[in-house]
């Protein structure tokens, strides 16, 4: 089961890198959200995530995340990622915490 959840998180990153917001949110629950770790919700609901990603992709058309490590425990997956907004931009690292419900991602929290 943990391997399945890691595969879903990796698939989401592949959709993120392809800038395919529709395919990304298809792997989320209707009420899913993205938030800062233990902080404010950044994008709420599947439609909020979709709209937020589309706006970010428009602003950063060369945005890319590379997975440095993957970890799973129960219904939680953590990805260690290196993100660059463009080839010239200084990359930054982030830990993304994916929480699952009914086989789909219900919440993603970012530690940066």
């Amino acid at each position: 089961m943990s391997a399945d959840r890691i595969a879903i998180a990796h698939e989401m990153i592949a959709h993120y890198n392809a800038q395919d917001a529709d395919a990304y949110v298809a792997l989320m629950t209707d009420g899913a959200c993205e938030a800062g770790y233990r902080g404010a919700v950044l994008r709420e609901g599947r439609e909020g995530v979709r709209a937020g990603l589309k706006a970010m992709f428009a602003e950063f058309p060369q945005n890319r995340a590379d997975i440095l490590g993957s970890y799973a425990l129960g219904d939680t997956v953590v990805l260690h990622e290196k993100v660059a907004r463009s080839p010239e931009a200084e990359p930054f690292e982030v830990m993304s915490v994916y929480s699952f419900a009914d086989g789909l991602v219900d919440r993603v929290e970012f530690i940066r």
Side-chain angles (χ1 to χ4, degrees), residues 4 9 22 27 29 42 47 55 64 68 70 72 84 87 89 91 95 102 109:
D4 293 341
D22 295 325
L27 298 171
T29 64
L42 307 169
E47 292 309 312
R64 177 168 182 80
L68 303 176
S70 306
M95 298 293 280
D102 299 322
E109 293 183 278

Side-chain angles (χ1 to χ4, degrees), residues 8-104:
I8 290 169
H10 279 238
E11 186 177 350
M12 289 180 78
I13 295 299
H15 295 315
Y16 177 91
N17 286 337
Q19 297 199 353
D20 187 344
D22 295 325
Y24 181 96
V25 301
L27 298 171
M28 302 179 93
T29 64
D30 288 335
C33 70
E34 293 185 329
Y37 181 68
R38 298 178 66 164
V41 171
L42 307 169
R43 301 176 188 113
E44 190 157 0
R46 202 182 260 178
E47 292 309 312
V49 172
R50 182 190 331 269
L53 286 177
K54 286 186 176 193
M56 185 184 60
F57 296 154
E59 183 177 355
F60 303 106
Q62 295 179 303
N63 190 68
R64 177 168 182 80
D66 293 310
I67 299 169
L68 303 176
S70 306
Y71 313 91
L73 182 61
D75 287 334
T76 304
V77 169
V78 177
L79 297 183
H80 179 195
E81 304 168 33
K82 185 181 233 180
V83 179
R85 298 292 187 212
S86 73
E88 302 79 29
E90 183 69 29
F92 59 91
E93 291 186 28
V94 64
M95 298 293 280
S96 301
V97 182
Y98 295 76
S99 300
F100 285 77
D102 299 322
L104 295 172

